[in-house]
């Protein structure tokens, strides 16, 4: 939750660094009792938070961090003596960097895309998003139960496939082809020579018409 909020803070305000916002969010969320433990955990998840507590203070300080909660966060950080943070960056790499700004941003983008997906609820045959389904069954099932129902019972809404350009143009193409064939046949008939039984001479249909006018 803190990671997502911090990502939003940094996206909304270019002067706010993701790591600074994350420190502020952790401090105001967990308080003095566990703020430094949570900051250490954030580092292991991939956040670029410095090991030096003084640099952590500076990141969250109101003079450096343009957030309304920065002053409260600094006070919380000062309320407890920070432990020695010795975790290595290797641990962050091993965790896949899931707490880095890029990873959090990708996670949020995927969640937003998924929130637009609609499925059919087999109970009533109506289409809804996951969040709409959670609201629908609020008080009856937990969010975890609704998630399992969404994943395994609800079916994706069938999308109407648009007609392809080939399908749309097929009738017109066939009509044009038939017209061209008819025109070619008529032209061939006009130029074909046959023997006129009247005089035994070779002539075309056009010549016969002209002679008999």
């Amino acid at each position: 939750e803190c990671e997502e909020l911090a990502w939003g803070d940094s996206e909304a305000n270019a002067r706010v660094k993701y790591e600074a916002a994350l420190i502020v969010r952790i401090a105001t969320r967990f308080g003095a009792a566990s703020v430094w433990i949570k900051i250490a955990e954030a580092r292991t998840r991939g956040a670029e938070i410095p090991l030096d507590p003084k640099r952590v203070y500076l990141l969250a300080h109101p003079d450096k961090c343009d957030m309304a909660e920065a002053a409260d966060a600094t006070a919380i950080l000062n309320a407890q003596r920070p432990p020695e943070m010795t975790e290595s960056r290797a641990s962050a790499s091993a965790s896949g960097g899931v707490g880095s700004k890029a990873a959090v941003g990708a996670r949020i983008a995927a969640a937003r895309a998924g929130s637009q997906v609609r499925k059919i609820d087999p109970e009533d045959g109506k289409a809804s998003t996951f969040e709409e389904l959670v609201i629908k069954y609020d008080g009856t099932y937990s969010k975890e139960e609704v998630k399992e129902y969404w994943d395994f019972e609800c079916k994706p809404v069938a999308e109407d496939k648009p007609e392809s350009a080939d399908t749309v143009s097929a009738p017109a193409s066939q009509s044009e082809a038939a017209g061209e064939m008819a025109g070619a046949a008529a032209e061939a008939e006009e130029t074909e020579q046959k023997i006129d039984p009247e005089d035994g001479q070779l002539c075309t249909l056009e010549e016969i018409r002209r002679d008999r006018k």
Side-chain angles (χ1 to χ4, degrees), residues 54-191:
K54 291 182 179 179
R55 294 180 61 192
V56 175
Y57 286 129
L58 287 176
L59 276 175
H61 196 278
D63 291 344
K64 300 290 184 179
C65 182
D66 187 20
M67 292 178 64
E69 302 90 343
D72 291 339
T74 303
I76 292 169
L77 290 169
N78 279 317
Q80 186 186 45
R81 181 181 178 85
E84 184 178 356
M85 293 195 293
T86 58
E87 64 271 23
S88 66
R89 298 305 302 165
S91 59
S93 299
S95 69
V98 294
S100 67
K101 182 178 181 180
V104 174
R107 192 161 67 241
I108 291 173
R112 287 175 178 173
S115 68
Q116 302 305 313
V117 174
R118 301 180 72 81
K119 288 187 176 183
I120 301 296
D121 181 355
E123 285 294 318
D124 56 15
K126 294 182 179 179
S128 62
T129 64
F130 173 68
E131 291 302 327
E132 289 170 342
L133 203 67
V134 170
I135 295 172
K136 181 178 178 180
Y137 290 113
D138 184 36
T140 304
Y141 300 105
S142 67
K143 189 170 183 177
E144 290 73 21
E145 290 172 325
V146 175
K147 182 66 168 64
E148 184 175 355
Y149 180 66
W150 168 268
D151 289 339
F152 299 104
E153 300 296 332
C154 297
K155 304 300 181 184
V157 175
E159 296 183 3
D160 294 330
K161 294 184 178 180
E163 291 184 296
S164 66
D166 293 340
T167 303
V168 173
S169 62
S173 299
Q174 292 173 2
S175 177
E176 290 172 3
E180 290 175 1
M181 290 177 65
E187 184 179 352
E189 185 177 2
E190 292 287 338
T191 58

